[in-house]
Amino acid sequence: MFDIRAVREAPDAFDEALKRRGAEPAAARLVALDDQRRSVISRLQDAQTRRNAASKAIGKAKAQKDEAEAARLIEEVGALKGAIQADEDTERTVTAELEETLAALPNMPLADVPVGVDESDNVELRRVGEPPVFDFAPKEHDELGEALGLMDVPAAARIAGTRFTVLRGKLARLERALGQFMIDLHTGEHGYTEVSPPLLVRDEAVFGTAQLPKFAEDLFHTTDGRWLIPTSEVPLTNLVREQILDAAALPIRVTALTPCFRSEAGSAGRDTRGMLRQHQFQKCELVAITTQEDSLAEQERMTACAEKVLQALGLAYRVVTLSTGDLGFAAQRTFDIEVWLPGQGTYREISSCSVCGDFQARRMNARYRPAADEAPRFVHTLNGSGVAVGRALIAVMENYQDAAGTITIPEVLRPYTGFDTIAP
């Protein structure tokens, strides 16, 4: 969400930033709406001043027994009351339209974000680790899981429909072990505080992190007007909504391991096999609340924390900067971490670490006070996956398979699993 004053001060720069994201110019319309709003407010203030003066004059005229003047003033007050009511309605309508227009616009990319149309224009920053070399054709995770008898997509379809998976036995335990390992790593070594947040949230919370109103079709809506969280970014970031924090409390770093729910609208035909794209999945989320001065360094730190998960698991990965055409709605800049999947022979996204500036904070009215005698400022928010548990499970299965279909458990996970292999 943007401050209309900033749009008025630099309309050309605002439109240029939208152009980098492939969006249409909006400054002229926003300024016109704001001009209309200001004009109505000015007219309202004049009318209210005149009404107040006329109301006082009525008493004076009656005290002087000037009934004609009193009657004229009463008529004027009546007319002003109707005009004020009409202008108040107009002001509410115009303000709502201005706010809706502002709310529908994506965040502005940072200057170093590569301009592009889609993911093909993302820029690789680094590769870490070497993909394993097999003397056999590596299988994809769904084939491995089915052969083990521990991954059951047909059963899930009978229960819930497509894009769900049932895991059993050691594979279910491996998934749980991955999530517990991630939470322990981020809380024990990276300084994040674990949170157990609500999985159902109100409209205001989803608006605050910018999934609403634009992406309502990607969410699941309940019959009592709440939303199932698409990621725990939503409740974690909203922990600071409508707050004025002390500067000494920043940065705030929180993490949660939760189920996530997405309708996957628009993904028909994509990743229909296995667990790559599900309606329900586990994710370890990282959220940071910080200042403008520290937010870019915090993004680097958060990305490094997510990378530590893959390094500990011994998985090869690469980090890319998303282009403007692939950038999320609320992000100023995003670093994607893509893990190597031997079954597909390619890197696939397993974490996105985004800095959002004050875009979400304005929607949540989340601020901090730099000093006791200074005015509050909006915080900067960041979020990232630390990491997606289902995709980490896929990566472990595919990278640690052998020709017989046995999966070796990475050493770091064995205290959590209690076993070192999963064999057919």
Side-chain angles (χ1 to χ4, degrees):
M1 193 106 173
F2 302 101
D3 184 347
I4 185 60
R5 292 172 297 183
V7 180
R8 296 185 71 94
E9 289 169 4
D12 292 341
F14 187 79
D15 281 343
E16 181 59 32
L18 286 175
K19 181 180 178 182
R20 291 182 65 215
R21 292 206 60 152
E24 294 296 320
R29 183 185 175 198
L30 291 168
V31 170
L33 284 170
D34 192 44
D35 284 343
Q36 185 180 356
R37 183 182 66 88
R38 292 181 178 207
S39 176
V40 173
I41 290 173
S42 178
R43 194 164 65 237
L44 262 173
Q45 291 171 340
D46 291 343
Q48 288 164 344
T49 299
R50 177 56 190 155
R51 180 188 62 184
N52 294 339
S55 296
K56 291 180 181 178
I58 290 171
K60 186 177 180 181
K62 286 187 174 183
Q64 296 173 350
K65 299 191 182 303
D66 188 346
E67 296 300 330
E69 177 63 7
R72 186 192 69 78
L73 288 168
I74 290 171
E75 184 178 353
E76 181 181 358
V77 168
L80 286 168
K81 182 178 179 182
I84 289 170
Q85 181 63 55
D87 278 345
E88 285 175 341
D89 291 342
T90 301
E91 192 271 333
R92 280 192 292 268
T93 300
V94 174
T95 298
E97 184 177 356
L98 176 61
E99 290 177 350
E100 288 170 6
T101 304
L102 285 167
L105 294 173
N107 204 352
M108 299 300 148
L110 296 178
D112 63 351
V113 174
V115 177
V117 176
D118 53 30
E119 62 185 14
S120 65
D121 296 310
N122 296 345
V123 175
E124 184 176 300
L125 295 177
R126 57 185 173 272
R127 294 193 181 198
V128 178
E130 292 294 328
V133 177
F134 298 97
D135 57 5
F136 59 93
K139 297 176 181 177
E140 293 192 41
H141 71 283
D142 56 316
E143 187 177 357
L144 286 166
E146 290 169 5
L148 290 167
L150 303 178
M151 182 178 291
D152 195 339
V153 175
R158 291 193 300 271
I159 298 167
T162 59
R163 296 193 185 276
F164 291 92
T165 303
V166 169
L167 299 178
R168 293 191 173 95
K170 287 186 173 182
L171 212 51
R173 190 179 182 97
L174 176 56
E175 182 188 45
R176 177 158 54 91
L178 281 161
Q180 291 178 328
F181 159 68
M182 293 173 198
I183 283 288
D184 286 352
L185 178 67
H186 295 313
T187 57
E189 297 187 21
H190 299 153
Y192 286 82
T193 298
E194 184 176 2
V195 175
S196 178
L199 304 183
L200 290 168
V201 295
R202 299 163 57 191
D203 289 0
E204 295 87 342
V206 194
F207 178 84
T209 45
Q211 283 83 10
L212 285 183
K214 189 174 178 64
F215 303 102
E217 66 173 6
D218 292 327
L219 310 177
F220 288 108
H221 199 210
T222 67
T223 55
D224 67 350
R226 293 182 176 86
W227 303 85
L228 284 166
I229 61 167
T231 163
S232 57
E233 169 202 348
V234 177
L236 292 180
T237 309
N238 275 277
L239 289 173
V240 298
R241 70 174 296 109
E242 300 169 10
Q243 304 276 322
I244 299 179
L245 307 168
D246 291 332
L250 302 177
I252 295 171
R253 299 182 179 117
V254 288
T255 183
L257 175 65
T258 68
C260 305
F261 306 91
R262 298 183 187 176
S263 70
E264 293 296 342
S267 66
R270 296 178 59 194
D271 300 320
T272 55
R273 291 179 52 188
M275 294 179 59
L276 269 166
R277 195 177 296 274
Q278 300 270 279
H279 289 311
Q280 174 186 318
F281 57 94
Q282 294 276 336
K283 182 152 70 79
C284 181
E285 185 73 9
L286 306 175
V287 162
I289 312 295
T290 185
T291 65
Q292 175 182 350
E293 294 78 14
D294 296 335
S295 60
L296 297 187
E298 188 68 24
Q299 186 189 21
E300 300 283 355
R301 183 188 190 278
M302 180 179 285
T303 304
C305 290
E307 287 183 74
K308 287 290 187 181
V309 174
L310 303 186
Q311 292 167 11
L313 293 173
L315 299 171
Y317 65 92
R318 68 174 189 164
V319 181
V320 301
T321 302
L322 298 194
S323 74
T324 54
D326 199 27
L327 199 60
F329 183 82
Q332 288 182 318
R333 184 178 67 190
T334 296
F335 298 140
D336 262 14
I337 304 173
E338 299 178 347
V339 68
W340 176 257
L341 298 184
Q344 292 194 4
T346 190
Y347 291 96
R348 295 298 301 263
E349 183 242 319
I350 196 169
S351 173
S352 291
C353 295
S354 300
V355 57
C356 301
D358 63 7
F359 186 81
Q360 294 176 323
R362 289 182 179 278
R363 301 167 80 104
M364 298 185 301
N365 194 24
R367 296 173 290 167
Y368 76 101
R369 196 180 299 278
D373 58 347
E374 292 188 50
R377 301 177 188 173
F378 287 106
V379 298
H380 278 208
T381 62
L382 302 96
N383 64 82
S385 304
V387 293
V389 176
R391 293 198 173 190
L393 175 66
I394 291 169
V396 167
M397 292 174 68
E398 293 193 7
N399 280 274
Y400 285 93
Q401 64 178 296
D402 66 15
T406 295
I407 298 166
T408 299
I409 306 301
E411 189 170 340
V412 73
L413 295 178
R414 293 177 187 177
Y416 296 91
T417 60
F419 51 81
D420 55 14
T421 62
I422 304 176

